[in-house]
Amino acid sequence: MRDGYVKGAQRAFSVKAIPLFVAGLTVTAVASFMPVANAGNEDRATTNYDRENDGGRSPSWQRAENNAARSSVNGVAIESSNLPVGAQALQGSYDRIRQSSGWVALEDQVDDQTGRIDDLEDLLGELDLKADDFQNGSVVVSDWEALSGGASIVTWKPAISNQVSDFVQTKEGTQSYTRTVQVYERNPSTGEQELVDSFVERRDVDVSETRIVDVANNPGGGQDGWSDWVEDTASGSLNCGSWTPWAGTVDQGTSFTQARSCDVPASRSIYYLVDGVVIDQKSETTVARTIEESQVAVGTKKVYGKWVYAGGFWVEPPAGYTYYQTYGGGWLEGGSCSPIGRKVWTYGLSGGIDFDKLWHCEK
């Protein structure tokens, strides 16, 4: 029986890998004393271990058995132990695994990953704090505005230039537009907004358009072409010649008409409208305009005549006569006088009686 036990023990157990859970990690450990494929054969020797387990052989690491009472088997000394033989083999395998370079590397990797997880948790904590302070706020977008200057500007053809009647304009090409975008974050507790980004957006739009241009002589539209010349007759703007004829060449007191020519600045305008709105205007000014002016004048040339007695009176002189302050006046008759047509009366005596005389200046 003992020979059978030893031989049976030597052939009935083999080495097999089993999983071991240590500190949350799954480790493959090498276990001894596992039954071999023919462990269930009935020809093997029956041991006390079998009898104590009703003929079944449960793994040694599931059942602690104190072998201290056995001192020897077939004369071979057995060292006393508080662990079963299978458990001792398992502990030794575990110790060898813990001391292997693979295990050490695995532990370093676990430590490294644990540190990274801690760092990630710290970062997430900081982000949570930031999120508590500011959150996404408003986005302010300006209107699209046509980009001025540069190759993207499209011009109307034909140009307005010197067009004097209604015409059709067309334009084709690409027009660029820009707008400004401002992004804010907002503190939900205080309502404070903070500008966190600002940029300019641009878009290009294909342009193809036709329009009718109304060419008019006034800003309200109407007759085609230029307006009439309008002279500027304000004081100081005229360049005039002399009045003719000269008053000194016309007998004194004689009414006549004088005339003169003047060069005067003048201007005219033309307007270009689209749908009733003025889009352009041109003006011209010239000083080549001549106007004629006239006025009534009185001659100043002195013409001499002779005094002629026109009668006498005793009460009052008739209308149109002026007192000449002479006595009698007889000496005036035939004398030189001016201007022709002058009428006077003189005071005098005739036979002791006042007798006034009337005199006319005649040629």
Side-chain angles (χ1 to χ4, degrees), residues 32-266:
S32 300
F33 305 105
M34 285 293 293
V36 295
N38 61 355
N41 295 340
E42 295 298 327
D43 60 343
R44 68 174 176 78
T46 301
T47 65
N48 291 333
Y49 186 88
D50 296 328
R51 289 190 292 274
E52 291 174 0
N53 289 280
D54 298 327
R57 295 180 61 81
S58 56
S60 61
W61 55 85
Q62 292 183 1
R63 184 174 185 276
E65 180 177 347
N66 191 344
N67 295 320
R70 293 183 181 179
S71 58
S72 66
V73 176
N74 291 341
V76 178
I78 299 178
E79 181 181 359
S80 297
S81 172
N82 291 326
L83 293 175
V85 175
Q88 286 181 335
L90 180 61
Q91 181 65 40
S93 299
Y94 176 72
D95 290 340
R96 287 193 299 274
I97 292 173
R98 289 296 302 269
Q99 295 171 3
S100 67
S101 59
W103 181 276
V104 173
L106 179 61
E107 287 187 325
D108 292 340
Q109 182 179 359
V110 171
D111 291 340
D112 182 62
Q113 295 298 333
T114 301
R116 293 184 182 182
I117 292 174
D118 292 339
D119 293 341
L120 179 59
E121 289 179 346
D122 293 340
L123 178 59
L124 291 175
E126 293 179 3
L127 293 177
D128 288 341
L129 292 176
K130 179 62 178 178
D132 290 339
D133 292 338
F134 282 90
Q135 299 175 357
N136 290 338
S138 58
V139 177
V140 180
V141 182
S142 67
D143 294 333
W144 288 105
E145 293 185 1
L147 183 65
S148 60
S152 65
I153 295 302
V154 180
T155 57
W156 288 97
K157 296 180 180 180
I160 289 178
S161 186
N162 294 319
Q163 302 284 345
V164 294
S165 60
D166 298 351
F167 65 101
V168 176
Q169 275 189 322
T170 60
K171 69 175 180 179
E172 293 182 354
T174 301
Q175 174 67 60
S176 296
Y177 295 86
T178 60
R179 69 178 181 180
T180 301
V181 180
Q182 293 179 318
V183 181
Y184 290 86
E185 285 187 350
R186 180 179 179 275
N187 188 314
S189 300
T190 64
E192 175 189 0
Q193 289 207 121
E194 178 180 315
L195 180 64
V196 295
D197 195 8
S198 179
F199 55 91
V200 176
E201 287 185 337
R202 173 173 171 167
R203 70 177 181 182
D204 296 329
V205 179
D206 291 336
V207 176
S208 179
E209 189 175 348
T210 300
R211 68 183 183 182
I212 298 176
V213 180
D214 179 19
V215 183
N217 61 3
N218 66 85
Q223 183 178 349
D224 290 355
W226 290 90
S227 66
D228 294 333
W229 287 104
V230 177
E231 291 82 12
D232 180 9
T233 58
S235 176
S237 64
L238 301 178
N239 181 21
C240 300
S242 300
W243 290 105
T244 59
W246 179 44
T249 63
V250 178
D251 291 349
Q252 186 177 16
T254 301
S255 296
F256 67 99
T257 300
Q258 287 182 314
R260 68 176 181 179
S261 297
C262 300
D263 292 333
V264 58

Side-chain angles (χ1 to χ4, degrees), residues 317 321-327 342-348 356:
Y321 286 80
T322 58
Y323 180 55
Y324 194 62
Q325 296 181 344
T326 60
Y327 183 78
R342 183 181 179 187
K343 297 176 181 181
V344 299
W345 62 274
T346 59
Y347 170 77
D356 297 329

Side-chain angles (χ1 to χ4, degrees), residues 14-20 26-35 61 90 93 97:
S14 181
V15 178
K16 184 178 181 180
I18 61 172
L20 173 65
T26 302
V27 181
T28 302
V30 179
S32 300
F33 305 105
M34 285 293 293
W61 55 85
L90 180 61
S93 299
I97 292 173

Side-chain angles (χ1 to χ4, degrees), residues 282-294:
K282 298 180 182 296
S283 297
E284 290 182 346
T285 301
T286 180
V287 293
R289 302 285 295 173
T290 300
I291 63 173
E292 300 293 335
E293 292 185 332
S294 63

